[in-house]
Amino acid sequence: MKAIYDAGATLDIAITLKDNMAKSKSGRVYIDAFCEERSIPITKIRNINDPESIQAIKDAEIDWLFIIGWSQIAKPEILNAPNLGCIGIHPTLLPQGRGRAAIPWAILKGLEKTGVTLFKLDEGVDTGPIIDQWEIPLSEETDARMLYEQATKAHYAVLSRILPLLIDGTAELTPQDNRLATEWPGRKPEDGRIDASMTCKQAHALVRAVTHPYPGAFYDSAEGRTIIWKASLERTSPSDKELKLSDGSLFCTVWERCD
């Protein structure tokens, strides 16, 4: 939203989840203050495809609808409501990594790079033509919080670069090569379980992949459940909590006990 205004464009309407529905969403951002400062009308909804959403978009007579950060799939009536179409941003380099949990999977898969893709939405899931992409390098120390922050900055960067072209109508759309497409499934909190059969490298990747803002990696013992927010392959302090795994020990540096 800031990138749109910094590029000299404006928003005619903002649509977000009702407050009581959004409390459990990872990384939820409240847009009320931003909209109030700029006199942007806000519509709070339960589902993007609700009649009130469709009517609000039609009434605003907008050119482009940006659908960013939504887990709900927009149906054709929403996609066809704006004059020019709908634009999404997906935190992978499409067509790689279509689907959900893009940030954890990029770390778990040990990729050398990921990124964000700006694309025009169609009726598929992350299948529409690409408008622009921004790469993000990854390392063996990258964790979910770091990648989340880098992806947020990349959202701003790619939007800032492409908005002038959208405004003057010169942005080019490139169809995705479906032969290169991969799909990543959704993840549940239970998928953060560390099993003793894992290698240290696998467990370390899991800790990094599901740390804040996600629910965290964990293991269960007779003492209860321990959530690990940060770990190291080597001991860094006498207070590190040692976790025995199939090929050695993982050292938990930030953790908490759940009784």
Side-chain angles (χ1 to χ4, degrees), residues 112-178:
E112 293 183 357
K113 66 179 180 180
T114 185
V116 299
T117 300
L118 187 75
F119 66 108
K120 185 176 181 182
L121 296 174
D122 60 15
E123 294 184 32
V125 178
D126 304 325
T127 56
I130 294 170
I131 303 171
D132 199 6
Q133 293 184 316
W134 193 278
E135 291 188 0
I136 300 172
L138 300 175
S139 74
E140 292 187 354
E141 297 303 319
T142 301
D143 65 22
R145 186 195 294 275
M146 294 164 57
L147 183 50
Y148 196 94
E149 291 174 352
Q150 289 173 311
T152 299
K153 292 177 181 177
H155 275 58
Y156 181 91
V158 74
L159 276 167
S160 297
R161 185 165 67 187
I162 207 67
L163 275 164
L165 305 183
L166 289 174
I167 292 168
D168 66 21
T170 59
E172 296 182 1
L173 278 66
T174 304
Q176 294 188 38
D177 186 345
N178 290 324

Short mmCIF file of all heavy atoms in Angstrom, two decimals, residues 112-178:
data_model
loop_
_atom_site.label_atom_id
_atom_site.label_comp_id
_atom_site.label_asym_id
_atom_site.label_seq_id
_atom_site.Cartn_x
_atom_site.Cartn_y
_atom_site.Cartn_z
N GLU A 112 18.88 -22.26 -2.89
CA GLU A 112 19.91 -21.22 -2.88
C GLU A 112 19.30 -19.83 -3.02
O GLU A 112 19.91 -18.84 -2.62
CB GLU A 112 20.91 -21.46 -4.00
CG GLU A 112 21.75 -22.73 -3.81
CD GLU A 112 22.78 -22.89 -4.89
OE1 GLU A 112 22.80 -22.06 -5.84
OE2 GLU A 112 23.57 -23.84 -4.82
N LYS A 113 18.10 -19.77 -3.58
CA LYS A 113 17.40 -18.49 -3.72
C LYS A 113 15.91 -18.73 -3.80
O LYS A 113 15.44 -19.80 -4.17
CB LYS A 113 17.89 -17.73 -4.95
CG LYS A 113 17.53 -18.41 -6.27
CD LYS A 113 18.02 -17.60 -7.46
CE LYS A 113 17.65 -18.30 -8.77
NZ LYS A 113 18.11 -17.53 -9.95
N THR A 114 15.16 -17.70 -3.44
CA THR A 114 13.73 -17.67 -3.65
C THR A 114 13.41 -16.25 -4.10
O THR A 114 14.24 -15.60 -4.70
CB THR A 114 12.97 -18.10 -2.38
OG1 THR A 114 11.57 -18.16 -2.67
CG2 THR A 114 13.21 -17.17 -1.22
N GLY A 115 12.22 -15.77 -3.83
CA GLY A 115 11.90 -14.42 -4.24
C GLY A 115 10.42 -14.15 -4.17
O GLY A 115 9.68 -14.89 -3.50
N VAL A 116 9.99 -13.10 -4.83
CA VAL A 116 8.56 -12.82 -4.93
C VAL A 116 8.23 -12.61 -6.40
O VAL A 116 9.05 -12.14 -7.19
CB VAL A 116 8.13 -11.59 -4.11
CG1 VAL A 116 8.40 -11.79 -2.64
CG2 VAL A 116 8.80 -10.33 -4.61
N THR A 117 7.01 -13.00 -6.75
CA THR A 117 6.52 -12.87 -8.12
C THR A 117 5.26 -12.04 -8.13
O THR A 117 4.30 -12.34 -7.42
CB THR A 117 6.23 -14.26 -8.73
OG1 THR A 117 7.42 -15.04 -8.74
CG2 THR A 117 5.72 -14.11 -10.17
N LEU A 118 5.26 -11.00 -8.94
CA LEU A 118 4.07 -10.19 -9.18
C LEU A 118 3.42 -10.76 -10.44
O LEU A 118 4.07 -10.88 -11.47
CB LEU A 118 4.47 -8.73 -9.38
CG LEU A 118 3.35 -7.70 -9.49
CD1 LEU A 118 2.75 -7.45 -8.11
CD2 LEU A 118 3.88 -6.40 -10.07
N PHE A 119 2.13 -11.11 -10.36
CA PHE A 119 1.49 -11.75 -11.50
C PHE A 119 0.00 -11.40 -11.57
O PHE A 119 -0.60 -11.00 -10.58
CB PHE A 119 1.68 -13.27 -11.43
CG PHE A 119 0.97 -13.95 -10.28
CD1 PHE A 119 -0.15 -14.73 -10.50
CD2 PHE A 119 1.43 -13.81 -8.98
CE1 PHE A 119 -0.80 -15.36 -9.45
CE2 PHE A 119 0.79 -14.44 -7.92
CZ PHE A 119 -0.34 -15.21 -8.16
N LYS A 120 -0.55 -11.54 -12.75
CA LYS A 120 -1.98 -11.31 -12.93
C LYS A 120 -2.72 -12.59 -12.58
O LYS A 120 -2.39 -13.67 -13.06
CB LYS A 120 -2.30 -10.90 -14.37
CG LYS A 120 -3.76 -10.53 -14.57
CD LYS A 120 -4.04 -10.03 -15.98
CE LYS A 120 -5.52 -9.64 -16.12
NZ LYS A 120 -5.84 -9.18 -17.49
N LEU A 121 -3.71 -12.45 -11.73
CA LEU A 121 -4.45 -13.63 -11.27
C LEU A 121 -5.36 -14.16 -12.37
O LEU A 121 -5.98 -13.39 -13.12
CB LEU A 121 -5.28 -13.27 -10.04
CG LEU A 121 -4.52 -12.86 -8.78
CD1 LEU A 121 -5.48 -12.39 -7.70
CD2 LEU A 121 -3.68 -14.01 -8.27
N ASP A 122 -5.42 -15.49 -12.44
CA ASP A 122 -6.42 -16.15 -13.27
C ASP A 122 -7.16 -17.15 -12.39
O ASP A 122 -7.05 -17.10 -11.16
CB ASP A 122 -5.79 -16.81 -14.50
CG ASP A 122 -4.74 -17.87 -14.15
OD1 ASP A 122 -4.70 -18.32 -12.97
OD2 ASP A 122 -3.98 -18.27 -15.05
N GLU A 123 -7.91 -18.06 -12.97
CA GLU A 123 -8.73 -18.97 -12.18
C GLU A 123 -7.93 -20.10 -11.55
O GLU A 123 -8.46 -20.86 -10.74
CB GLU A 123 -9.88 -19.52 -13.02
CG GLU A 123 -10.88 -18.45 -13.44
CD GLU A 123 -12.06 -19.01 -14.20
OE1 GLU A 123 -12.45 -20.17 -13.92
OE2 GLU A 123 -12.60 -18.30 -15.07
N GLY A 124 -6.67 -20.27 -11.89
CA GLY A 124 -5.83 -21.27 -11.25
C GLY A 124 -5.24 -20.75 -9.96
O GLY A 124 -5.49 -19.61 -9.54
N VAL A 125 -4.42 -21.57 -9.32
CA VAL A 125 -3.73 -21.18 -8.08
C VAL A 125 -2.28 -20.84 -8.43
O VAL A 125 -1.50 -21.74 -8.75
CB VAL A 125 -3.80 -22.30 -7.03
CG1 VAL A 125 -3.04 -21.88 -5.77
CG2 VAL A 125 -5.25 -22.62 -6.68
N ASP A 126 -1.96 -19.56 -8.41
CA ASP A 126 -0.60 -19.08 -8.71
C ASP A 126 -0.15 -19.44 -10.12
O ASP A 126 1.02 -19.72 -10.38
CB ASP A 126 0.41 -19.66 -7.69
CG ASP A 126 0.04 -19.33 -6.26
OD1 ASP A 126 -0.48 -18.23 -6.03
OD2 ASP A 126 0.27 -20.17 -5.37
N THR A 127 -1.10 -19.43 -11.06
CA THR A 127 -0.81 -19.86 -12.43
C THR A 127 -0.81 -18.74 -13.45
O THR A 127 -0.47 -18.97 -14.61
CB THR A 127 -1.83 -20.93 -12.88
OG1 THR A 127 -3.16 -20.39 -12.73
CG2 THR A 127 -1.71 -22.19 -12.04
N GLY A 128 -1.20 -17.54 -13.06
CA GLY A 128 -1.36 -16.45 -14.01
C GLY A 128 -0.05 -15.93 -14.58
O GLY A 128 1.04 -16.23 -14.07
N PRO A 129 -0.12 -15.13 -15.64
CA PRO A 129 1.09 -14.59 -16.30
C PRO A 129 1.89 -13.68 -15.38
O PRO A 129 1.32 -12.90 -14.61
CB PRO A 129 0.53 -13.83 -17.51
CG PRO A 129 -0.89 -13.54 -17.16
CD PRO A 129 -1.36 -14.67 -16.31
N ILE A 130 3.20 -13.78 -15.49
CA ILE A 130 4.12 -13.04 -14.62
C ILE A 130 4.31 -11.61 -15.14
O ILE A 130 4.54 -11.38 -16.32
CB ILE A 130 5.48 -13.77 -14.55
CG1 ILE A 130 5.30 -15.12 -13.82
CG2 ILE A 130 6.53 -12.91 -13.83
CD1 ILE A 130 6.52 -16.01 -13.90
N ILE A 131 4.25 -10.66 -14.19
CA ILE A 131 4.50 -9.26 -14.51
C ILE A 131 5.94 -8.88 -14.16
O ILE A 131 6.63 -8.21 -14.91
CB ILE A 131 3.52 -8.34 -13.76
CG1 ILE A 131 2.07 -8.73 -14.11
CG2 ILE A 131 3.77 -6.87 -14.09
CD1 ILE A 131 1.03 -8.02 -13.26
N ASP A 132 6.42 -9.35 -13.00
CA ASP A 132 7.80 -9.04 -12.59
C ASP A 132 8.18 -9.97 -11.44
O ASP A 132 7.30 -10.54 -10.76
CB ASP A 132 7.91 -7.58 -12.14
CG ASP A 132 9.35 -7.07 -12.14
OD1 ASP A 132 10.24 -7.80 -12.61
OD2 ASP A 132 9.59 -5.94 -11.66
N GLN A 133 9.49 -10.12 -11.21
CA GLN A 133 9.99 -10.95 -10.11
C GLN A 133 11.16 -10.25 -9.42
O GLN A 133 11.86 -9.44 -10.04
CB GLN A 133 10.43 -12.34 -10.60
CG GLN A 133 9.29 -13.20 -11.10
CD GLN A 133 9.74 -14.59 -11.49
OE1 GLN A 133 10.75 -14.77 -12.15
NE2 GLN A 133 8.97 -15.60 -11.09
N TRP A 134 11.38 -10.59 -8.16
CA TRP A 134 12.49 -10.05 -7.37
C TRP A 134 13.13 -11.21 -6.62
O TRP A 134 12.46 -11.91 -5.86
CB TRP A 134 11.97 -9.00 -6.39
CG TRP A 134 13.06 -8.19 -5.75
CD1 TRP A 134 13.83 -8.54 -4.68
CD2 TRP A 134 13.49 -6.89 -6.15
NE1 TRP A 134 14.72 -7.54 -4.38
CE2 TRP A 134 14.53 -6.51 -5.26
CE3 TRP A 134 13.09 -6.00 -7.15
CZ2 TRP A 134 15.18 -5.28 -5.36
CZ3 TRP A 134 13.75 -4.78 -7.25
CH2 TRP A 134 14.78 -4.43 -6.36
N GLU A 135 14.42 -11.43 -6.82
CA GLU A 135 15.11 -12.57 -6.21
C GLU A 135 15.60 -12.25 -4.80
O GLU A 135 15.98 -11.12 -4.50
CB GLU A 135 16.29 -13.01 -7.07
CG GLU A 135 15.87 -13.64 -8.39
CD GLU A 135 17.06 -14.23 -9.14
OE1 GLU A 135 18.20 -14.14 -8.62
OE2 GLU A 135 16.85 -14.80 -10.23
N ILE A 136 15.60 -13.30 -3.95
CA ILE A 136 16.12 -13.21 -2.58
C ILE A 136 17.09 -14.37 -2.37
O ILE A 136 16.68 -15.53 -2.44
CB ILE A 136 14.98 -13.31 -1.54
CG1 ILE A 136 13.97 -12.19 -1.74
CG2 ILE A 136 15.55 -13.27 -0.12
CD1 ILE A 136 12.73 -12.34 -0.87
N PRO A 137 18.38 -14.10 -2.12
CA PRO A 137 19.32 -15.20 -1.87
C PRO A 137 19.07 -15.82 -0.49
O PRO A 137 18.65 -15.14 0.45
CB PRO A 137 20.69 -14.51 -1.93
CG PRO A 137 20.40 -13.08 -1.57
CD PRO A 137 19.03 -12.78 -2.10
N LEU A 138 19.34 -17.11 -0.38
CA LEU A 138 19.17 -17.83 0.88
C LEU A 138 20.51 -18.43 1.32
O LEU A 138 21.37 -18.71 0.49
CB LEU A 138 18.15 -18.97 0.73
CG LEU A 138 16.73 -18.57 0.32
CD1 LEU A 138 15.89 -19.81 0.08
CD2 LEU A 138 16.09 -17.69 1.38
N SER A 139 20.66 -18.60 2.63
CA SER A 139 21.85 -19.25 3.17
C SER A 139 21.41 -20.29 4.20
O SER A 139 20.22 -20.41 4.52
CB SER A 139 22.77 -18.23 3.84
OG SER A 139 22.24 -17.81 5.09
N GLU A 140 22.36 -21.02 4.75
CA GLU A 140 22.05 -22.03 5.75
C GLU A 140 21.71 -21.42 7.11
O GLU A 140 21.41 -22.14 8.06
CB GLU A 140 23.21 -23.02 5.89
CG GLU A 140 23.40 -23.88 4.64
CD GLU A 140 24.44 -24.97 4.85
OE1 GLU A 140 25.10 -24.97 5.92
OE2 GLU A 140 24.60 -25.81 3.94
N GLU A 141 21.77 -20.10 7.20
CA GLU A 141 21.38 -19.41 8.43
C GLU A 141 20.06 -18.66 8.29
O GLU A 141 19.54 -18.14 9.27
CB GLU A 141 22.49 -18.43 8.84
CG GLU A 141 23.81 -19.12 9.16
CD GLU A 141 23.69 -20.17 10.25
OE1 GLU A 141 22.97 -19.92 11.24
OE2 GLU A 141 24.28 -21.25 10.09
N THR A 142 19.52 -18.59 7.08
CA THR A 142 18.25 -17.89 6.88
C THR A 142 17.14 -18.58 7.65
O THR A 142 16.99 -19.80 7.57
CB THR A 142 17.88 -17.86 5.38
OG1 THR A 142 18.91 -17.22 4.64
CG2 THR A 142 16.57 -17.12 5.18
N ASP A 143 16.39 -17.80 8.43
CA ASP A 143 15.24 -18.39 9.12
C ASP A 143 13.96 -17.69 8.65
O ASP A 143 13.99 -16.76 7.85
CB ASP A 143 15.39 -18.34 10.64
CG ASP A 143 15.40 -16.93 11.22
OD1 ASP A 143 14.90 -16.00 10.56
OD2 ASP A 143 15.92 -16.75 12.34
N ALA A 144 12.81 -18.18 9.14
CA ALA A 144 11.53 -17.69 8.66
C ALA A 144 11.35 -16.21 8.92
O ALA A 144 10.83 -15.48 8.07
CB ALA A 144 10.40 -18.49 9.30
N ARG A 145 11.78 -15.75 10.08
CA ARG A 145 11.63 -14.32 10.38
C ARG A 145 12.44 -13.47 9.40
O ARG A 145 11.96 -12.47 8.88
CB ARG A 145 12.07 -14.01 11.82
CG ARG A 145 11.80 -12.56 12.22
CD ARG A 145 12.56 -12.19 13.47
NE ARG A 145 12.12 -12.92 14.64
CZ ARG A 145 11.09 -12.56 15.41
NH1 ARG A 145 10.39 -11.48 15.12
NH2 ARG A 145 10.77 -13.27 16.47
N MET A 146 13.69 -13.88 9.16
CA MET A 146 14.54 -13.15 8.23
C MET A 146 13.93 -13.14 6.83
O MET A 146 13.85 -12.09 6.18
CB MET A 146 15.93 -13.77 8.19
CG MET A 146 16.72 -13.67 9.49
SD MET A 146 18.14 -14.80 9.53
CE MET A 146 19.03 -14.28 8.08
N LEU A 147 13.48 -14.31 6.37
CA LEU A 147 12.94 -14.41 5.02
C LEU A 147 11.62 -13.66 4.91
O LEU A 147 11.33 -13.04 3.88
CB LEU A 147 12.76 -15.88 4.64
CG LEU A 147 12.28 -16.16 3.22
CD1 LEU A 147 13.10 -15.40 2.18
CD2 LEU A 147 12.30 -17.66 2.93
N TYR A 148 10.83 -13.70 5.97
CA TYR A 148 9.57 -12.95 5.99
C TYR A 148 9.84 -11.45 5.81
O TYR A 148 9.18 -10.77 5.02
CB TYR A 148 8.86 -13.21 7.31
CG TYR A 148 7.39 -12.82 7.33
CD1 TYR A 148 6.40 -13.74 7.06
CD2 TYR A 148 7.02 -11.51 7.64
CE1 TYR A 148 5.07 -13.39 7.08
CE2 TYR A 148 5.68 -11.14 7.66
CZ TYR A 148 4.71 -12.09 7.39
OH TYR A 148 3.39 -11.72 7.41
N GLU A 149 10.85 -10.95 6.53
CA GLU A 149 11.19 -9.53 6.43
C GLU A 149 11.76 -9.20 5.05
O GLU A 149 11.46 -8.15 4.47
CB GLU A 149 12.20 -9.17 7.52
CG GLU A 149 11.60 -9.21 8.92
CD GLU A 149 12.63 -9.01 10.01
OE1 GLU A 149 13.85 -8.98 9.68
OE2 GLU A 149 12.24 -8.88 11.19
N GLN A 150 12.59 -10.11 4.51
CA GLN A 150 13.15 -9.88 3.18
C GLN A 150 12.06 -9.89 2.11
O GLN A 150 12.08 -9.10 1.17
CB GLN A 150 14.21 -10.94 2.87
CG GLN A 150 15.49 -10.77 3.67
CD GLN A 150 16.44 -11.93 3.46
OE1 GLN A 150 16.07 -13.10 3.53
NE2 GLN A 150 17.69 -11.60 3.18
N ALA A 151 11.10 -10.80 2.28
CA ALA A 151 9.99 -10.88 1.32
C ALA A 151 9.13 -9.62 1.38
O ALA A 151 8.65 -9.13 0.35
CB ALA A 151 9.14 -12.12 1.59
N THR A 152 8.93 -9.10 2.59
CA THR A 152 8.16 -7.86 2.74
C THR A 152 8.85 -6.71 1.99
O THR A 152 8.20 -5.94 1.28
CB THR A 152 8.00 -7.51 4.22
OG1 THR A 152 7.29 -8.56 4.88
CG2 THR A 152 7.24 -6.21 4.41
N LYS A 153 10.16 -6.60 2.16
CA LYS A 153 10.91 -5.56 1.45
C LYS A 153 10.87 -5.79 -0.06
O LYS A 153 10.79 -4.83 -0.85
CB LYS A 153 12.36 -5.54 1.94
CG LYS A 153 12.52 -5.08 3.38
CD LYS A 153 13.97 -5.15 3.83
CE LYS A 153 14.12 -4.71 5.28
NZ LYS A 153 15.53 -4.83 5.76
N ALA A 154 10.89 -7.05 -0.46
CA ALA A 154 10.83 -7.36 -1.89
C ALA A 154 9.47 -7.02 -2.47
O ALA A 154 9.37 -6.60 -3.63
CB ALA A 154 11.14 -8.84 -2.11
N HIS A 155 8.40 -7.18 -1.68
CA HIS A 155 7.07 -6.75 -2.12
C HIS A 155 7.12 -5.28 -2.51
O HIS A 155 6.63 -4.88 -3.58
CB HIS A 155 6.05 -6.93 -0.99
CG HIS A 155 5.47 -8.30 -0.88
ND1 HIS A 155 6.23 -9.41 -0.69
CD2 HIS A 155 4.18 -8.74 -0.92
CE1 HIS A 155 5.45 -10.48 -0.62
NE2 HIS A 155 4.19 -10.09 -0.77
N TYR A 156 7.68 -4.47 -1.61
CA TYR A 156 7.76 -3.02 -1.86
C TYR A 156 8.62 -2.74 -3.09
O TYR A 156 8.26 -1.92 -3.94
CB TYR A 156 8.33 -2.31 -0.63
CG TYR A 156 8.42 -0.82 -0.79
CD1 TYR A 156 7.37 0.01 -0.40
CD2 TYR A 156 9.55 -0.23 -1.35
CE1 TYR A 156 7.45 1.39 -0.57
CE2 TYR A 156 9.64 1.13 -1.52
CZ TYR A 156 8.59 1.94 -1.12
OH TYR A 156 8.66 3.30 -1.31
N ALA A 157 9.74 -3.43 -3.18
CA ALA A 157 10.68 -3.16 -4.28
C ALA A 157 10.08 -3.50 -5.64
O ALA A 157 10.18 -2.72 -6.59
CB ALA A 157 11.97 -3.95 -4.05
N VAL A 158 9.45 -4.67 -5.74
CA VAL A 158 8.92 -5.09 -7.04
C VAL A 158 7.71 -4.23 -7.42
O VAL A 158 7.54 -3.89 -8.60
CB VAL A 158 8.60 -6.60 -7.04
CG1 VAL A 158 7.33 -6.90 -6.25
CG2 VAL A 158 8.48 -7.13 -8.47
N LEU A 159 6.90 -3.86 -6.45
CA LEU A 159 5.77 -2.98 -6.75
C LEU A 159 6.24 -1.59 -7.19
O LEU A 159 5.72 -1.01 -8.14
CB LEU A 159 4.86 -2.86 -5.52
CG LEU A 159 3.82 -3.96 -5.35
CD1 LEU A 159 3.20 -3.91 -3.95
CD2 LEU A 159 2.73 -3.85 -6.41
N SER A 160 7.25 -1.08 -6.49
CA SER A 160 7.78 0.24 -6.85
C SER A 160 8.33 0.25 -8.26
O SER A 160 8.19 1.25 -9.00
CB SER A 160 8.88 0.65 -5.86
OG SER A 160 8.36 0.76 -4.55
N ARG A 161 8.95 -0.85 -8.66
CA ARG A 161 9.54 -0.93 -9.99
C ARG A 161 8.49 -1.04 -11.09
O ARG A 161 8.65 -0.49 -12.19
CB ARG A 161 10.49 -2.13 -10.05
CG ARG A 161 11.26 -2.25 -11.35
CD ARG A 161 12.42 -3.21 -11.22
NE ARG A 161 12.00 -4.59 -11.01
CZ ARG A 161 12.86 -5.58 -10.75
NH1 ARG A 161 14.16 -5.32 -10.62
NH2 ARG A 161 12.44 -6.82 -10.58
N ILE A 162 7.39 -1.73 -10.80
CA ILE A 162 6.42 -2.03 -11.86
C ILE A 162 5.25 -1.07 -11.89
O ILE A 162 4.58 -0.94 -12.93
CB ILE A 162 5.91 -3.49 -11.70
CG1 ILE A 162 5.48 -4.05 -13.07
CG2 ILE A 162 4.78 -3.58 -10.70
CD1 ILE A 162 6.61 -4.24 -14.05
N LEU A 163 4.96 -0.36 -10.79
CA LEU A 163 3.77 0.50 -10.76
C LEU A 163 3.73 1.56 -11.86
O LEU A 163 2.67 1.77 -12.47
CB LEU A 163 3.63 1.15 -9.39
CG LEU A 163 2.90 0.29 -8.35
CD1 LEU A 163 3.14 0.83 -6.95
CD2 LEU A 163 1.41 0.23 -8.65
N PRO A 164 4.86 2.23 -12.17
CA PRO A 164 4.81 3.20 -13.27
C PRO A 164 4.37 2.56 -14.59
O PRO A 164 3.67 3.20 -15.39
CB PRO A 164 6.25 3.72 -13.35
CG PRO A 164 6.80 3.52 -11.97
CD PRO A 164 6.18 2.25 -11.50
N LEU A 165 4.75 1.30 -14.81
CA LEU A 165 4.36 0.60 -16.05
C LEU A 165 2.89 0.22 -16.02
O LEU A 165 2.22 0.23 -17.06
CB LEU A 165 5.24 -0.63 -16.25
CG LEU A 165 6.75 -0.39 -16.26
CD1 LEU A 165 7.50 -1.68 -16.56
CD2 LEU A 165 7.11 0.67 -17.30
N LEU A 166 2.39 -0.14 -14.84
CA LEU A 166 0.96 -0.43 -14.72
C LEU A 166 0.13 0.82 -14.95
O LEU A 166 -0.93 0.77 -15.59
CB LEU A 166 0.65 -1.01 -13.33
CG LEU A 166 1.13 -2.43 -13.03
CD1 LEU A 166 0.86 -2.77 -11.56
CD2 LEU A 166 0.45 -3.45 -13.94
N ILE A 167 0.63 1.92 -14.42
CA ILE A 167 -0.11 3.18 -14.54
C ILE A 167 -0.19 3.64 -16.00
O ILE A 167 -1.24 4.09 -16.46
CB ILE A 167 0.54 4.26 -13.65
CG1 ILE A 167 0.36 3.90 -12.17
CG2 ILE A 167 -0.06 5.64 -13.93
CD1 ILE A 167 1.19 4.74 -11.22
N ASP A 168 0.93 3.50 -16.73
CA ASP A 168 0.89 3.97 -18.13
C ASP A 168 0.52 2.87 -19.13
O ASP A 168 0.51 3.09 -20.34
CB ASP A 168 2.21 4.64 -18.53
CG ASP A 168 3.40 3.69 -18.57
OD1 ASP A 168 3.20 2.46 -18.68
OD2 ASP A 168 4.55 4.18 -18.50
N GLY A 169 0.24 1.67 -18.62
CA GLY A 169 -0.25 0.60 -19.47
C GLY A 169 0.79 -0.12 -20.29
O GLY A 169 0.47 -0.80 -21.28
N THR A 170 2.07 -0.04 -19.89
CA THR A 170 3.14 -0.66 -20.68
C THR A 170 3.72 -1.92 -20.02
O THR A 170 4.70 -2.48 -20.53
CB THR A 170 4.27 0.34 -20.93
OG1 THR A 170 4.80 0.79 -19.67
CG2 THR A 170 3.77 1.53 -21.73
N ALA A 171 3.16 -2.36 -18.90
CA ALA A 171 3.67 -3.57 -18.23
C ALA A 171 3.45 -4.79 -19.13
O ALA A 171 2.38 -4.94 -19.73
CB ALA A 171 2.98 -3.76 -16.90
N GLU A 172 4.46 -5.63 -19.24
CA GLU A 172 4.37 -6.83 -20.07
C GLU A 172 4.04 -8.05 -19.21
O GLU A 172 4.55 -8.19 -18.09
CB GLU A 172 5.67 -7.06 -20.83
CG GLU A 172 6.01 -5.95 -21.82
CD GLU A 172 7.29 -6.24 -22.60
OE1 GLU A 172 7.89 -7.32 -22.37
OE2 GLU A 172 7.68 -5.40 -23.42
N LEU A 173 3.22 -8.94 -19.73
CA LEU A 173 2.83 -10.16 -19.03
C LEU A 173 3.44 -11.35 -19.75
O LEU A 173 3.31 -11.48 -20.98
CB LEU A 173 1.30 -10.30 -18.98
CG LEU A 173 0.57 -9.52 -17.89
CD1 LEU A 173 0.69 -8.01 -18.10
CD2 LEU A 173 -0.89 -9.93 -17.83
N THR A 174 4.12 -12.21 -18.99
CA THR A 174 4.79 -13.38 -19.56
C THR A 174 4.12 -14.66 -19.04
O THR A 174 4.12 -14.88 -17.82
CB THR A 174 6.28 -13.40 -19.19
OG1 THR A 174 6.89 -12.19 -19.62
CG2 THR A 174 6.97 -14.59 -19.82
N PRO A 175 3.57 -15.50 -19.90
CA PRO A 175 2.94 -16.74 -19.42
C PRO A 175 3.94 -17.62 -18.67
O PRO A 175 5.13 -17.67 -19.02
CB PRO A 175 2.48 -17.43 -20.71
CG PRO A 175 2.38 -16.32 -21.71
CD PRO A 175 3.46 -15.34 -21.36
N GLN A 176 3.47 -18.29 -17.64
CA GLN A 176 4.34 -19.22 -16.90
C GLN A 176 4.59 -20.48 -17.73
O GLN A 176 3.72 -20.93 -18.47
CB GLN A 176 3.69 -19.60 -15.57
CG GLN A 176 3.56 -18.46 -14.59
CD GLN A 176 3.09 -18.93 -13.22
OE1 GLN A 176 3.48 -19.99 -12.74
NE2 GLN A 176 2.25 -18.11 -12.58
N ASP A 177 5.78 -21.04 -17.56
CA ASP A 177 6.13 -22.30 -18.21
C ASP A 177 5.68 -23.44 -17.29
O ASP A 177 6.36 -23.75 -16.30
CB ASP A 177 7.64 -22.37 -18.46
CG ASP A 177 8.04 -23.60 -19.28
OD1 ASP A 177 7.22 -24.54 -19.39
OD2 ASP A 177 9.17 -23.63 -19.77
N ASN A 178 4.55 -24.04 -17.60
CA ASN A 178 4.00 -25.06 -16.72
C ASN A 178 4.89 -26.30 -16.62
O ASN A 178 4.75 -27.08 -15.66
CB ASN A 178 2.61 -25.47 -17.21
CG ASN A 178 1.59 -24.37 -17.00
OD1 ASN A 178 1.63 -23.65 -16.01
ND2 ASN A 178 0.66 -24.22 -17.94
#
